[in-house]
Amino acid sequence: MRSAGLRGRRSPNWPTHAGPPPASRLDAHEAFVVGLIEERKGIMLNEMVERLVAEQCAVQPQRLSAWLRGHGGPFKNVWLARRQEIYF
């Protein structure tokens, strides 16, 4: 007797692949991204995306944000600054 409910399913504890994670297209532009951040400490994510597009590296803001998080990128909280601009 076959168990119909478990056939074809993977256990959530099994790894999806072995080895290091796949390389990102941003890895080739790491020096450029670091240079952007060092050039201007207050650079916004959208500005970085625009500069990367100009360098022939099309990337979405979400991917750049995830890549920066994975590489220990700098972050600043801009919500307080936005509230001050709106309310004051």
Side-chain angles (χ1 to χ4, degrees), residues 52-66:
L52 280 165
V53 167
E55 286 289 315
Q56 307 299 321
C57 178
V59 64
Q60 295 179 347
Q62 297 90 347
R63 283 304 312 150
L64 179 58
S65 178

Side-chain angles (χ1 to χ4, degrees), residues 36 53 75:
L36 288 176
V53 167
F75 294 99

Side-chain angles (χ1 to χ4, degrees), residues 2-3 6 8-10 13 15 18 35 40 43-44 46 48 52 54 57 59-60 62-63 74 78 81 83 88:
R2 290 191 269 176
S3 63
L6 297 178
R9 290 190 185 177
R10 282 192 172 175
N13 295 332
R40 209 172 102 210
I43 192 166
M44 301 297 284
N46 289 338
M48 291 171 61
L52 280 165
C57 178
V59 64
Q60 295 179 347
Q62 297 90 347
R63 283 304 312 150
V78 296
R83 285 190 194 135
F88 297 114

Side-chain angles (χ1 to χ4, degrees), residues 16-55:
T16 55
H17 67 280
S24 170
R25 77 174 73 170
L26 287 168
D27 289 340
H29 300 277
E30 182 174 7
F32 180 73
V33 173
V34 170
L36 288 176
I37 295 169
E38 289 177 356
E39 176 185 314
R40 209 172 102 210
K41 295 290 182 186
I43 192 166
M44 301 297 284
L45 193 63
N46 289 338
E47 295 174 52
M48 291 171 61
V49 169
E50 289 172 6
R51 298 276 300 270
L52 280 165
V53 167
E55 286 289 315

Side-chain angles (χ1 to χ4, degrees), residues 75-88:
F75 294 99
K76 64 178 185 174
N77 190 350
V78 296
W79 294 107
L80 181 60
R82 287 185 182 168
R83 285 190 194 135
Q84 289 173 352
E85 289 175 8
I86 295 172
Y87 296 118
F88 297 114

